[in-house]
Amino acid sequence: MMITHLKLTNWKNFKTVDVDLGKRVFIVGPNASGKSNLLDALRFLRDVAMPTGGGLQQAIGDRGGVSAIRCLAARQPSHIELCVKLAESSKDENPWSYELGIEQERRGNRRPRIQFERVSRGDKRLLERPDAADEADEERKYQTALEQTTFNKEFRDIAKFLEKIEYFHLVPQMLKYPQAFSGPDLPGDPFGRGFLDNLARVGPKKRDASLKRIESMLRLAVPQLSSLEYVEDGGKPHLQAMYRHWRPDAGIQHETQFSDGTLRLIGLSWSMLQGSGPLLLEEPELSLNYGIVERIPGLLHEMRKKKDRQSFISTHSEILVSDKGIELDEILLLIPNNEGTRVIPCSAIEDATTLLSAGFSPAEIVFPKSRPESIDNLELKF
Amino acid sequence: MLRMHIVYEDAVSLAVIERMIGAHRDRLTIGDHHHGQGFGRIKANIAKYNTVAERLPFFVLTDLDTKQCAPGLIAQWLPGSKAPHLLFRIAVREVESWLLADREGFAAYLGISAANLPRDPDSLLDPKGEIFRLTRKSRSRGLRQDIIPEGLASIGPGYNDAMPRFVRSGWNPETARKYSPSLDKALRALNDYLRSH
């Protein structure tokens, strides 16, 4: 299954978004245009659908409340709306659609509640809320049907699918200096603070198989590295790598000594190999060498082919988007303005197909459009 | 051992250079990799490569694409004289023609009959298009998904994996040179360079 269409109203930077989505979605735009917020709309649906530790109230609460989510440019209507179409492929004749409208109580605790919630498959409407029961008992409006396994029997497939959305952005410092990061865990461990604990939880067979694959890739990317394995030391999980060194015993390193790039690459490969739902990657190019970055689109294609997983990638990397195998409609361009950010597929850019047929790479078409005009005068007054 | 710096356009031409230089691994190793990012940037930088090649061996591989002829392109890009250590080779029309020229090898990779492959790949105006046409005949769904573009893109989403894989493991330049004069000239140029240095 994949997300074939996304529609948002008043979501963070976006007053409206209405775009088709392909198997890979590359998100490009200037700083603060809302790339992460676009990914967050999908994470939000995941958080709502999660049966434990999730749900509407939690998902909104984790994001600082309705007022922190609602687009600053929002006027009327002022509610927040997230709609997705889900299908087996772009040719699926019976696509699912899930629509959620969220409003805030006008007084009292100003809790978020559903304004509407609809599910259909093809032409068939499976859920239409608020219904009579909601009107009879207002308290019901504080929970979505998506999060309630007792209610979502008819559309549990989409709840299960949304639940599998995975966002992974391993921040190397979280692993290197765990003592510096306290506070409660975030849903889905997005920044990899619990990466080692997650490794510990995966069954040894599966873990070793994945680490073997990562090891063979790492040996190409980091030629000095000769092995990567999972070890437990005093009950604590660790990654251990062996580096070729002129002193044979000197080459053992634990994850706290790995380079940022090595950790990022391990996290990136792990998230591609594990999991089965759509994968959201935030600037996967960070800390990685050119030669690796240019392989990312191909790896994501491979992941789609072998594991039927869709991917969403926010990026500032021209190298990543220069792969000529990327279709223009796989790239979403974010264009900020005073009325919120607009999202358009790169194929809608004027002259895009002319540029493409003249031999321009997708990066050469899209990046000139994502450069803020004022950047020419960039300075920092010292 | 001679270190040769290389300038290439894309993943396929990189793999081709690696094979060409790899055939002389007793004397040659690859030095720095310069990604030209398509012929535009190679053209912009060719004068710099030429200057450096007064002293250091440089191998530049580019496509002829829609230009008239290879000598014409060289004259246009390098109006002065060519430096002694510059090997500037142009694939007619694209490096893909050189791959198609290994008729048996590429047919085997796709799992189709070699009779389908062109006898004069250098004369093809759109060698990539020919590769897509042939790949459509392949029974391998994976290769079709990789190589053929779904929309308007110039190559398929896994082209930069699938084609270099062929170059590394299936392509035989010695067979291919029989059908591609342009490849034959490039291989001879490398041989001649090594003989005189």
Side-chain angles (χ1 to χ4, degrees):
Chain A
M1 188 139 40
M2 61 185 270
I3 306 169
T4 56
H5 193 89
L6 174 69
K7 190 165 167 259
L8 302 172
T9 307
N10 295 331
W11 176 264
K12 298 193 168 185
N13 300 57
F14 311 99
K15 213 166 136 183
T16 56
V17 172
D18 198 350
V19 283
D20 286 331
L21 304 170
K23 296 164 186 171
R24 297 180 298 184
V25 181
F26 299 91
I27 303 166
V28 174
N31 289 113
S33 58
K35 295 186 290 298
S36 308
N37 289 340
L38 196 63
L39 294 179
D40 193 44
L42 301 174
R43 285 169 77 189
F44 177 82
L45 289 172
R46 190 266 320 263
D47 292 354
V48 170
M50 279 198 310
T52 47
L56 179 68
Q57 300 300 319
Q58 184 73 35
I60 298 261
D62 283 342
R63 285 164 179 80
V66 169
S67 49
I69 296 173
R70 185 163 47 216
C71 179
L72 287 175
R75 292 184 194 96
Q76 286 301 324
S78 69
H79 70 282
I80 297 165
E81 192 178 323
L82 300 100
C83 308
V84 281
K85 285 201 179 100
L86 310 167
E88 294 306 329
S89 73
S90 50
K91 291 177 192 109
D92 192 337
E93 284 173 7
N94 267 323
W96 293 94
S97 105
Y98 178 78
E99 302 174 30
L100 176 64
I102 303 160
E103 59 183 10
Q104 194 171 29
E105 283 177 330
R106 298 230 164 70
R107 45 188 84 77
N109 294 328
R110 302 183 68 78
R111 286 187 294 167
R113 63 184 180 194
I114 63 153
Q115 189 189 39
F116 59 81
E117 187 181 21
R118 300 180 200 116
V119 181
S120 357
R121 178 147 208 206
D123 298 332
K124 197 174 164 208
R125 177 70 31 108
L126 302 171
L127 179 82
E128 170 85 68
R129 295 181 67 194
D131 54 18
D134 292 323
E135 300 304 351
D137 178 10
E138 285 281 321
E139 273 304 305
R140 288 170 53 102
K141 291 191 184 171
Y142 298 91
Q143 278 194 321
T144 61
L146 197 63
E147 71 203 71
Q148 302 175 68
T149 37
T150 41
F151 284 112
N152 67 17
K153 188 162 169 252
E154 275 194 286
F155 50 94
R156 194 162 298 151
D157 283 359
I158 63 169
K160 289 264 176 239
F161 172 79
L162 292 172
E163 213 182 287
K164 284 191 288 190
I165 291 176
E166 194 176 333
Y167 172 95
F168 198 58
H169 181 68
L170 188 141
V171 178
Q173 285 67 24
M174 289 249 181
L175 279 181
K176 292 186 179 179
Y177 309 101
Q179 71 281 10
F181 301 94
S182 55
D185 291 331
L186 291 166
D189 187 36
F191 306 115
R193 188 172 69 173
F195 183 57
L196 294 170
D197 296 325
N198 287 336
L199 280 180
R201 270 195 291 274
V202 175
K205 220 171 152 185
K206 202 171 165 196
R207 178 177 59 225
D208 291 346
S210 292
L211 286 178
K212 266 275 159 284
R213 291 176 189 186
I214 296 174
E215 178 194 272
S216 60
M217 187 199 56
L218 271 180
R219 286 164 67 161
L220 301 174
V222 187
Q224 320 84 282
L225 184 140
S226 61
S227 75
L228 175 76
E229 54 188 341
Y230 171 86
V231 293
E232 283 182 12
D233 187 5
K236 289 211 159 149
H238 290 288
L239 281 171
Q240 178 177 288
M242 188 79 89
Y243 288 82
R244 289 188 196 91
H245 196 278
W246 56 274
R247 278 187 303 194
D249 295 336
I252 295 176
Q253 289 193 353
H254 276 183
E255 72 283 346
T256 49
Q257 295 158 295
F258 290 2
S259 77
D260 287 4
T262 304
L263 283 172
R264 289 276 305 162
L265 196 53
I266 292 171
L268 183 65
S269 342
W270 178 264
S271 62
M272 287 194 204
L273 291 170
Q274 299 295 315
S276 53
L279 178 60
L280 318 182
L281 296 172
E282 189 118 49
E283 298 182 43
E285 68 266 21
L286 292 180
S287 307
L288 297 182
N289 173 276
Y290 188 112
I292 300 169
V293 176
E294 65 181 353
R295 298 278 295 109
I296 291 175
L299 291 172
L300 295 171
H301 162 69
E302 202 65 15
M303 180 180 82
R304 166 71 197 185
K305 220 171 64 174
K306 301 268 167 67
K307 300 189 71 186
D308 194 29
R309 291 181 78 186
Q310 191 178 17
S311 50
F312 295 80
I313 310 97
S314 78
T315 182
H316 283 292
S317 167
E318 292 199 38
I319 299 162
L320 198 152
V321 188
S322 65
D323 186 323
K324 290 188 173 176
I326 299 175
E327 294 285 349
L328 291 181
D329 54 16
E330 289 185 295
I331 306 171
L332 295 181
L333 174 61
L334 272 49
I335 308 168
N337 63 43
N338 295 341
E339 285 294 302
T341 291
R342 263 190 335 128
V343 183
I344 59 165
C346 188
S347 50
I349 293 175
E350 204 189 342
D351 303 329
T353 44
T354 314
L355 293 166
L356 189 71
S357 52
F360 283 84
S361 78
E364 289 171 307
I365 298 171
V366 73
F367 279 98
K369 306 280 181 196
S370 78
R371 188 172 185 278
E373 274 171 35
S374 51
I375 208 88
D376 300 337
N377 304 319
L378 186 81
E379 60 173 355
L380 185 59
K381 295 198 170 83
F382 290 101
Chain B
M1 191 68 98
L2 214 53
R3 261 165 64 82
M4 185 164 267
H5 305 301
I6 61 168
V7 184
Y8 57 97
E9 287 197 7
D10 52 33
V12 178
S13 63
L14 170 61
V16 166
I17 297 176
E18 284 172 346
R19 285 294 310 273
M20 288 171 73
I21 292 182
H24 302 278
R25 64 173 64 86
D26 51 327
R27 291 205 49 204
L28 264 183
T29 74
I30 295 182
D32 298 345
H33 290 63
H34 294 262
H35 196 323
Q37 295 281 2
F39 65 86
R41 212 171 292 180
I42 294 183
K43 185 179 176 185
N45 283 325
I46 190 75
K48 279 189 260 174
Y49 298 134
N50 199 40
T51 309
V52 182
E54 288 292 337
R55 299 164 140 272
L56 304 171
F58 254 82
F59 191 117
V60 181
L61 178 60
T62 185
D63 289 344
L64 187 59
D65 284 328
T66 49
K67 299 278 180 331
Q68 292 288 309
C69 63
L73 185 135
I74 294 176
Q76 193 193 338
W77 285 20
L78 276 179
S81 63
K82 196 163 75 66
H85 297 287
L86 181 70
L87 275 150
F88 182 23
R89 300 313 312 174
I90 295 159
V92 178
R93 304 248 143 217
E94 291 175 330
V95 78
E96 277 79 359
S97 308
W98 294 2
L99 309 185
L100 286 165
D102 178 8
R103 302 175 70 225
E104 260 96 58
F106 193 55
Y109 185 59
L110 294 180
I112 61 172
S113 154
N116 290 304
L117 273 92
R119 295 193 160 267
D120 183 12
D122 283 6
S123 72
L124 292 170
L125 289 175
D126 181 14
K128 281 198 187 82
E130 181 68 12
I131 285 180
F132 303 153
R133 189 184 71 81
L134 293 167
T135 306
R136 278 190 198 99
K137 294 182 195 289
S138 172
R139 279 210 209 129
S140 159
R141 182 157 172 256
L143 283 177
R144 292 198 308 270
Q145 285 178 328
D146 284 345
I147 293 175
I148 305 167
E150 285 176 21
L152 297 172
S154 59
I155 52 175
Y159 188 92
N160 286 335
D161 299 318
M163 293 305 293
R165 203 162 55 229
F166 164 64
V167 176
R168 292 195 183 102
S169 59
W171 185 55
N172 185 344
E174 289 306 317
T175 319
R177 70 194 299 175
K178 290 180 208 144
Y179 288 97
S180 167
S182 150
L183 171 63
D184 184 55
K185 274 188 214 157
L187 291 170
R188 271 193 283 128
L190 185 59
N191 263 329
D192 292 349
Y193 177 81
L194 285 172
R195 210 173 297 132
S196 56
H197 290 89

